[in-house]
Amino acid sequence: MSDSNLKSPPFVPSSSSRKLPDFKQSVKLKYVKLGYHYLITHGMYLCLSPLLAIVAAQLSTLSGQNLVDVWDQLKFNFISVILCSTLLVFLSTVYFLTRPRPVYLVDFSCYKPDDLRKCTRQIFMERSQLTGTFTEQSLEFQRKILERSGLGESTYLPEAVLNVPPNPCLAEARKEAEIVMFGAVDQLFEKTSLRPKDIGILIVNCSLFNPTPSLSAMIINHYRLRGNVISYNLGGMGCSAGLISIDLAKDLLQVHPNSYALVISMENITLNWYFGNDRSMLLSNCLFRMGGAAILLSNKRSEGWRSKYRLVHTVRTHKGSDDKCFSCVTQREDSTGRIGVSLSKDLMGVAGDALKTNITTLGPLVLPMSEQLLFFATLVGKKLFNMKIKPYIPDFKLAFEHFCIHAGGRAVLDELEKNLQLSDWHMEPSRMTLYRFGNTSSSSLWYELAYTEAKGRMKRGDRMWQIAFGSGFKCNSAVWKALRTINPDKEKNPWMDEIDQFPVDVPKVSSI
């Protein structure tokens, strides 16, 4: 943020700052065009499909005598047969070389800390008071935020933060990173029966903790991954970095055949706990909690039979060229020199604008034609003929059976439910994840998917939309299709031993 913001009045979320803009007010045509560009890029495959169906239907009507007659005709047109065969082989070769490799999600796992790391809201307030660095006004502010946050009594914090006094240091931060990453990866290897040496691509994302050697190097060292593993460590990219990692893995899997990609999404709390009194920086203490996820992707067609999902689309939106968007989530020092993450009052408006751009681009790729025609007709009438009509907001429930919306906070979930016209059932995985685990940054989407699986809701052919946003400012989406029905009795995820207790009612305000 700019220097002028350092001396701004204490951060108090107003009712207007906690609402997303109404998507019906303005939709920019250029983002619709971008979505149709993505669609037309794959138009060749759409055009070939009905042609092949017609040819197959015609061939099925031929009798044995018809085939004999065709053979007799071909014997007298040998040159034509050679030319047609050559053309067919050439077109087939081009098709198989240029078609994208399928990207399968073989399985994933979410880390569940042990009970010693549990932090009730009362314990949170007691530990905050015992640090001795927070004023009475700051403590009261945190209490009010917690009471309205949607967080429950069983979220997790690392040992260094829960200690009295807290001892955040590099060694403790490494310890937290190892516990989360190794815990998730160990479970993933157990579920998939894969060996560490099988991993060809490794991507780790963690925004605020970037040690040397890197987190990806820690994984390589601990599991003794092979020397030619392609590794990436993504930092500073916010809560949407998990889907950026998926998109990067997808691109790498297009050029590295017969590979496995391991993606690890997490955040580190230990070194990023804020001990000052700037209200805009205290919000992260109230919302962020300990957690992480490991995801195994592959482009091996032999993995299709046991994989859970196939990646259909990824759409990334970046608003960093706008100064207001760029500075709405910023790691900085307060007036006393304490470091924290500052959340601007413009955050909800910026998030809404990025989300609107992202879903406008995604729409042409996923919506049924009936919804697209209604949307496009109203948009043309408004933009080209200056008709006083509101753009038609498509019903995304016709495109997806399941929604995994980043559990960043209760206010964001409320506004998304309203703007996308989703039901309580659609929002349940996000709300219960926020209640049970808090905001676990980029890994929250996977806790939400694990909830859906634990409830036995995921059926073969179901489509699922993951959407997340983070600093920069970014909004990213991933669309998956279920390859098989998920049997919760055979699943091992952090919800399984308590899934019967959910959903629970989360009141608007829950006093501590």
Side-chain angles (χ1 to χ4, degrees):
M1 298 184 70
S2 63
D3 293 338
S4 62
N5 288 334
L6 298 180
K7 298 180 181 180
S8 59
F11 179 87
V12 180
S14 64
S15 59
S16 60
S17 68
R18 294 203 307 231
K19 290 187 176 181
L20 295 175
D22 187 353
F23 294 166
K24 296 182 180 180
Q25 296 302 316
S26 63
V27 177
K28 294 183 178 179
L29 185 60
K30 64 179 180 179
Y31 300 123
V32 181
K33 290 167 62 179
L34 181 60
Y36 279 105
H37 168 73
Y38 291 156
L39 181 65
I40 293 170
T41 302
H42 300 87
M44 182 182 73
Y45 307 112
L46 298 176
C47 294
L48 285 177
S49 298
L51 179 61
L52 292 175
I54 293 173
V55 172
Q58 185 64 34
L59 290 176
S60 65
T61 62
L62 296 179
S63 64
Q65 184 58 45
N66 294 139
L67 294 176
V68 172
D69 294 340
V70 170
W71 175 251
D72 290 337
Q73 291 292 329
L74 292 177
K75 286 192 295 185
F76 297 104
N77 296 275
F78 185 71
I79 295 178
S80 299
V81 172
I82 294 297
L83 292 176
C84 290
S85 300
T86 303
L87 180 61
L88 181 62
V89 170
F90 174 75
L91 292 177
S92 301
T93 303
V94 170
Y95 170 74
F96 283 107
L97 288 178
T98 58
R99 67 171 179 167
R101 302 179 193 274
V103 176
Y104 300 113
L105 193 162
V106 181
D107 213 330
F108 68 98
S109 64
C110 299
Y111 175 68
K112 186 177 184 179
D114 58 55
D115 289 343
L116 293 176
R117 304 280 75 78
K118 276 189 179 180
C119 178
T120 65
R121 296 180 303 155
Q122 186 63 43
I123 289 177
F124 177 93
M125 293 305 304
E126 291 174 357
R127 295 295 193 273
S128 295
Q129 188 171 19
L130 289 173
T131 61
T133 62
F134 299 115
T135 64
E136 288 298 323
Q137 292 81 2
S138 293
L139 290 171
E140 183 60 25
F141 175 76
Q142 291 182 82
R143 179 186 299 275
K144 289 182 177 179
I145 293 297
L146 274 179
E147 290 176 344
R148 294 161 174 79
S149 65
L151 271 68
E153 303 291 353
S154 299
T155 58
Y156 302 94
L157 284 174
E159 181 181 358
V161 174
L162 289 176
N163 282 342
V164 182
N167 61 325
C169 61
L170 185 59
E172 287 294 327
R174 285 184 180 274
K175 180 179 177 182
E176 180 194 348
E178 290 174 351
I179 290 173
V180 173
M181 291 193 303
F182 300 163
V185 174
D186 285 345
Q187 187 180 112
L188 182 63
F189 282 150
E190 180 183 348
K191 292 170 72 173
T192 59
S193 301
L194 219 62
R195 301 172 304 160
K197 295 290 185 183
D198 294 327
I199 302 300
I201 299 168
L202 172 66
I203 303 172
V204 181
N205 68 267
C206 182
S207 290
L208 295 175
F209 181 55
N210 293 287
T212 301
S214 67
L215 297 174
S216 59
M218 291 166 61
I219 293 290
I220 293 170
N221 175 261
H222 180 78
Y223 291 99
R224 299 294 187 262
L225 301 189
R226 64 197 201 205
N228 65 343
V229 65
I230 302 168
S231 66
Y232 292 86
N233 198 96
L234 306 183
M237 303 193 78
C239 298
S240 67
L243 295 186
I244 295 175
S245 298
I246 296 295
D247 185 62
L248 175 59
K250 178 195 73 174
D251 291 342
L252 292 171
L253 288 171
Q254 297 306 309
V255 295
H256 297 280
N258 298 316
S259 297
Y260 289 104
L262 173 61
V263 175
I264 302 171
S265 294
M266 59 168 290
E267 193 50 83
N268 191 282
I269 305 296
T270 298
L271 278 183
N272 298 289
W273 201 253
Y274 177 61
F275 292 96
N277 291 285
D278 187 317
R279 291 192 174 187
S280 70
M281 302 165 80
L282 283 170
L283 286 171
S284 59
N285 284 11
C286 300
L287 297 176
F288 283 89
R289 293 296 184 266
M290 186 178 180
I295 305 98
L296 180 66
L297 304 175
S298 180
N299 56 12
K300 294 186 176 184
R301 295 188 182 275
S302 59
E303 286 289 356
W305 68 272
R306 69 160 179 163
S307 295
K308 287 184 171 181
Y309 307 95
R310 179 174 61 84
L311 182 60
V312 182
H313 299 293
T314 55
V315 174
R316 294 170 55 179
T317 300
H318 204 304
K319 292 288 187 176
S321 59
D322 182 274
D323 289 342
K324 186 172 71 172
C325 298
F326 174 76
S327 60
C328 70
V329 180
T330 309
Q331 186 179 29
R332 63 175 178 86
E333 293 178 335
D334 65 11
S335 58
T336 65
R338 293 187 175 97
I339 296 176
V341 176
S342 173
L343 305 181
S344 165
K345 295 179 182 180
D346 298 322
L347 177 59
M348 290 295 288
V350 167
D353 185 51
L355 177 63
K356 180 177 65 178
T357 300
N358 190 270
I359 66 176
T360 304
T361 305
L362 179 68
L365 302 176
V366 298
L367 288 168
M369 189 57 65
S370 59
E371 290 293 294
Q372 293 196 44
L373 289 175
L374 285 171
F375 173 75
F376 192 71
T378 56
L379 187 63
V380 169
K382 181 178 177 64
K383 298 292 184 180
L384 299 184
F385 300 104
N386 296 319
M387 297 173 64
K388 294 183 179 180
I389 56 174
K390 292 181 178 180
Y392 175 73
I393 301 302
D395 185 359
F396 280 90
K397 297 188 294 294
L398 298 176
F400 305 107
E401 284 74 32
H402 307 283
F403 297 80
C404 293
I405 301 170
H406 168 54
R410 181 173 195 155
V412 176
L413 295 180
D414 288 346
E415 290 301 315
L416 280 173
E417 178 179 5
K418 175 184 175 182
N419 276 281
L420 296 178
Q421 301 174 2
L422 302 179
S423 67
D424 291 340
W425 188 88
H426 291 116
M427 297 298 298
E428 186 180 311
S430 298
R431 294 193 184 279
M432 293 304 101
T433 294
L434 181 64
Y435 177 84
R436 178 62 180 85
F437 293 97
N439 181 348
T440 60
S441 189
S442 57
S443 66
S444 69
L445 298 174
W446 303 102
Y447 286 90
E448 294 163 16
L449 181 54
Y451 180 91
T452 302
E453 293 184 351
K455 279 293 185 180
R457 298 176 179 177
M458 191 63 69
K459 309 300 182 184
R460 177 184 173 90
D462 281 1
R463 299 154 298 177
M464 183 257 298
W465 180 17
Q466 290 180 318
I467 186 164
F469 31 88
S471 59
F473 193 85
K474 299 178 288 294
C475 179
N476 301 315
S477 291
V479 178
W480 304 86
K481 185 175 182 179
L483 298 178
R484 57 185 173 90
T485 298
I486 306 299
N487 184 354
D489 295 333
K490 297 181 180 180
E491 285 300 306
K492 183 178 181 181
N493 73 45
W495 295 95
M496 293 312 303
D497 57 351
E498 53 187 292
I499 191 62
D500 293 337
Q501 303 172 22
F502 294 92
V504 298
D505 178 61
V506 184
K508 294 292 184 182
V509 180
S510 177
S511 300
I512 300 177

